[in-house]
Amino acid sequence: MSIAIVGAGAIGGYLGVRLAEAGEDVTFIARSNAAAIQADGMRLIEEDGTEIHSKSVKATRSMQEAGVHEVVLLTVKAHQVGPIAADLKHLIGPDTVVVTMQNGIPWWYFMGGHGGEYAGTRLESADPGGLIADNLDPKHVIGSVVYPATVLSDPGTVKVIEGNRFGLGELDGSKSERVLALSQRLAKAGFRAPVTSDIRAEIWLKLWGNLSFNPISALTHATLEDICRFPDTRAIAAEMMREAEVIANKLGVTFRLGIDKRIAGAEKVGPHKTSMLQDVEAGRPIELEALVGSVIELGRLTGTPTPHIDTVFALMRLLAQSLERAQGRLAIQGA
Ligand SMILES: NC(=O)C1=CN([C@@H]2O[C@H](COP(=O)(O)OP(=O)(O)OC[C@H]3O[C@@H](n4cnc5c(N)ncnc54)[C@H](OP(=O)(O)O)[C@@H]3O)[C@@H](O)[C@H]2O)C=CC1
Ligand SMILES: CC(C)(CO)C(=O)C(=O)O
């Protein structure tokens, strides 16, 4: 199977190395680490310390050069999808499957057979200016929920912190041949890739954690375990989850776990820094809109108050602004 992985970062690298080692034909569309991968492939350090060095993976900076693939795994950050949306057409033929692997509410949430009063609604926080929906037909899309925690430790090297589950689901809930085939390929590469008939419910369950723990960790520099064990931050996370649950319920989604179980699951991940905290520490732009802004937008849409989420969002927006200013100053100093 020809697989293009757009974004050779922490999640893309994890998928790419294992899929290539399982015999798939993997090409990364890469940017800062393209040269490292072209020179020496990609390395994966598994949870138990085992190192896998894949020399068969290819890398290019150009989607045009890569050409049409059977499967496209979209593994850039949520705010990085819009800027590349117009270029994706080079990778997509009539039967190409595009798997969206971002945290947060996806740009296609109300598309692909959602139905009801919000059918077709575009969320500005998930797809600013409609760039993605204008360029990518949801009929190509399979939704996904990324459960593992991984980090790009060096250009071309990914370290797995924990987990191997990538939930998959068609937007219309069908158990299509293409989603079952993809699940099998991922399973052959050593992942758990269950196919769900309600991908939106899975997305909400994951988002419960990301919308609360990620910004709290970015504001406090605390790990998942510490946030869950410190009573005050645990309580704030629970309040944020409660507000999100009301919104999800109004959209017809119910949670198969309770808030306490969801928090216990996050605590079990251990002393892990969320991806948002890692981005803050590295001075990179953060996925604030897709993870938190989108829930507030859905709150406004459904007439649901979100006071705790609003408060954390406001603090995060100021943090993001300060970081941008600091980056600007650094860029000027380095000029
Ligand atoms: N890492 C984790 O543990 C988890 C991540 N997720 C989610 O998965 C998604 C991906 O996250 P993650 O892998 O951590 O992110 P990373 O930042 O590690 O990877 C994203 C990669 O995309 C590349 N990229 C961005 N724009 C372009 C472009 N225009 N052309 C080519 N490459 C590009 C970046 O390259 P460059 O270095 O040049 O910027 C980077 O290598 C996010 O939505 C995240 O929330 C979900 C669960 C856990
Ligand atoms: C914390 C983790 C790994 C799982 O909830 C995550 O999704 C993130 O860091 O963004």
Side-chain angles (χ1 to χ4, degrees):
M1 193 177 248
S2 64
I3 303 178
I5 302 187
V6 185
I11 294 299
Y14 183 24
L15 287 158
V17 169
R18 283 226 192 150
L19 284 164
E21 291 308 290
E24 310 297 350
D25 175 10
V26 173
T27 301
F28 287 110
I29 314 301
R31 204 165 53 177
S32 61
N33 53 3
I37 302 169
Q38 281 161 351
D40 197 25
M42 190 108 192
R43 286 187 162 79
L44 181 70
I45 303 167
E46 296 276 11
E47 239 174 295
D48 64 2
T50 313
E51 189 173 318
I52 305 173
H53 184 181
S54 176
K55 294 195 173 183
S56 70
V57 293
K58 290 165 272 181
T60 170
R61 291 169 182 270
S62 157
M63 296 196 214
Q64 192 161 8
E65 187 184 296
V68 170
H69 282 68
E70 290 169 274
V71 172
V72 175
L73 303 181
L74 210 47
T75 57
V76 294
K77 290 263 165 73
H79 54 267
Q80 295 170 332
V81 181
I84 59 167
D87 253 9
L88 287 171
K89 63 175 180 292
H90 298 298
L91 300 176
I92 301 174
D95 298 323
T96 301
V97 161
V98 179
V99 189
T100 56
M101 308 194 100
Q102 288 63 44
N103 270 332
I105 294 286
W107 57 273
W108 51 256
Y109 189 87
F110 289 118
M111 299 168 193
H114 184 275
E117 65 177 301
Y118 302 115
T121 302
R122 178 178 66 79
L123 294 169
E124 182 61 21
S125 46
D127 185 8
L131 268 180
I132 311 175
D134 284 351
N135 285 287
L136 180 48
D137 188 331
K139 75 175 186 208
H140 290 288
V141 173
I142 287 180
S144 166
V145 179
V146 175
Y147 282 96
T150 61
V151 288
L152 187 75
S153 49
D154 287 303
T157 303
V158 167
K159 195 169 164 8
V160 183
I161 309 297
E162 71 104 42
N164 65 1
R165 183 154 66 104
F166 291 83
L168 298 175
E170 288 281 3
L171 308 196
D172 65 3
S174 62
K175 299 263 164 112
S176 65
E177 260 177 49
R178 66 180 194 174
V179 73
L180 295 173
L182 180 64
S183 165
Q184 277 172 11
R185 296 300 177 121
L186 287 166
K188 194 172 151 236
F191 297 110
R192 286 186 296 148
V195 177
T196 170
S197 54
D198 191 354
I199 189 68
R200 291 172 184 81
E202 283 301 306
I203 285 171
W204 272 104
L205 192 55
K206 175 81 201 297
L207 180 60
W208 241 4
N210 291 129
L211 93 101
S212 52
F213 298 127
N214 288 37
I216 293 173
S217 71
L219 289 165
T220 59
H221 288 244
T223 64
L224 276 177
E225 177 181 81
D226 289 341
I227 295 167
C228 295
R229 289 182 184 167
F230 189 69
D232 295 359
T233 46
R234 185 186 180 97
I236 295 170
E239 287 301 336
M240 294 174 82
M241 290 183 189
R242 234 164 256 131
E243 291 169 5
E245 185 172 21
V246 177
I247 299 168
N249 289 167
K250 286 185 181 175
L251 294 173
V253 170
T254 48
F255 290 76
R256 60 181 163 79
L257 294 180
I259 288 175
D260 282 346
K261 274 221 165 119
R262 181 66 182 82
I263 294 179
E267 187 175 343
K268 257 211 248 151
V269 178
H272 173 62
K273 292 180 180 178
T274 69
S275 52
M276 198 177 275
L277 173 54
Q278 290 174 40
D279 286 340
V280 165
E281 288 184 345
R284 293 186 292 252
I286 50 176
E287 284 182 303
L288 188 59
E289 287 296 333
L291 269 56
V292 190
S294 60
V295 180
I296 293 176
E297 191 175 347
L298 289 172
R300 302 292 175 269
L301 197 67
T302 56
T304 316
T306 51
H308 290 86
I309 303 176
D310 293 349
T311 305
V312 171
F313 186 60
L315 297 172
M316 279 305 299
R317 284 184 60 207
L318 180 58
L319 176 62
Q321 192 180 300
S322 310
L323 287 170
E324 266 169 39
R325 285 211 187 114
Q327 282 304 106
R329 272 199 297 276
L330 282 178
I332 291 164
Q333 278 163 14

